Amino acid sequence: MKNRGDVRHKKQARSSANPQLVRAVVLVGFMGAGKSSVGRALGRQLGWPFEDLDERIEQRESQAIAEIFRVSGEAVFRRIEHVALRKLLAERRDGSGLVVALGGGAFAGEENIALIAECGSATVFLDAPVEELWRRCQQQAQEGANRPLLVGADQFRELHQARMPHFMKASLRLETNGKEIEAIALEVAECLKKT
Ligand code: S3P
């Protein structure tokens, strides 16, 4: 993680139209983007609670994500993922802050994208070159991470390519390559102040 990248502002979904809506920041991006680590740091910096959607799913289902994929398949996982996201966003309609990290495929589902937009949440795409994402995922796999969709380099690249148009729908895009977690979180926080 070395080069400092640009930050691209896009039209920002706002919660001001309805003060009852959640003031959430939703971190999206491919596997290995650092969504959970940055989300945790951002929550600390903003003084907002942090929720990791995959962790929530594992707790609610009492099953690891990899186990859900193995036993029930990806389609069932996507259903569970959508319901969990809906519940999570619905819990905090009191205007209090919330940082959410999604799993790498959640922002590729139109239903989820619409749900997040409905809530007036800011969406932040944590971007990095696919080679770097692959390297991070390989390293994390060696450290024990079990990602069911981490099959091989070609599939990884194809999936990344297929998902890019969805990630680009986020209200902010941030290049993370070459940056420390805390610095990325700070950059997100600064960008949010400007939007
Ligand atoms: C997935 C990514 C994973 C997890 C599940 C599916 C995906 O999360 O939600 O294995 O479809 O890319 P991470 O992005 O945190 O690895």
Side-chain angles (χ1 to χ4, degrees):
M1 302 222 274
K2 283 270 148 52
N3 303 328
R4 201 189 143 77
D6 63 319
V7 176
R8 192 172 51 87
H9 289 264
K10 286 178 59 182
K11 192 162 163 266
Q12 172 83 27
R14 290 188 188 282
S15 57
S16 53
N18 183 346
Q20 299 302 351
L21 292 177
V22 69
R23 197 165 48 121
V25 181
V26 180
L27 301 179
V28 309
F30 204 59
M31 291 176 262
K35 302 175 292 289
S36 303
S37 313
V38 172
R40 210 162 281 119
L42 182 63
R44 263 197 317 272
Q45 289 182 16
L46 295 174
W48 290 1
F50 166 69
E51 291 278 358
D52 183 299
L53 188 64
D54 280 345
E55 271 178 22
R56 266 219 162 198
I57 292 170
E58 292 188 331
Q59 277 163 15
R60 295 181 83 94
E61 301 297 315
S62 304
Q63 233 178 348
I65 301 290
E67 197 60 9
I68 301 173
F69 267 75
R70 196 182 62 77
V71 174
S72 311
E74 182 172 355
V76 170
F77 171 74
R78 295 299 170 202
R79 228 29 252 158
I80 294 171
E81 185 179 52
H82 177 71
V83 171
L85 179 62
R86 183 176 289 282
K87 280 193 183 140
L88 173 57
L89 295 175
E91 272 170 24
R92 304 189 67 89
R93 287 183 180 265
D94 58 355
S96 58
L98 174 67
V99 179
V100 182
L102 299 188
F107 202 67
E110 290 301 334
E111 247 189 329
N112 293 342
I113 295 176
L115 178 63
I116 294 165
E118 223 172 85
C119 292
S121 312
T123 44
V124 181
F125 168 31
L126 300 181
D127 198 8
V130 67
E131 294 75 18
E132 170 63 13
L133 296 169
W134 172 253
R135 190 196 64 73
R136 291 181 200 167
C137 286
Q138 289 302 301
Q139 188 180 322
Q140 289 163 11
Q142 279 174 14
E143 291 161 5
N146 187 353
R147 289 186 163 98
L149 294 181
L150 191 69
V151 185
D154 289 345
Q155 291 95 326
F156 191 83
R157 191 179 295 273
E158 279 165 25
L159 192 58
H160 179 266
Q161 203 174 354
R163 286 185 179 165
M164 272 306 274
H166 300 289
F167 294 145
M168 296 298 278
K169 293 177 191 156
S171 37
L172 290 175
R173 174 177 158 229
L174 215 97
E175 176 57 59
T176 63
N177 205 15
K179 299 174 189 168
E180 299 295 332
I181 297 298
E182 291 293 331
I184 299 166
L186 195 63
E187 210 174 328
V188 175
E190 290 299 317
C191 287
L192 291 172
K193 278 186 211 157
K194 290 183 209 150
T195 52

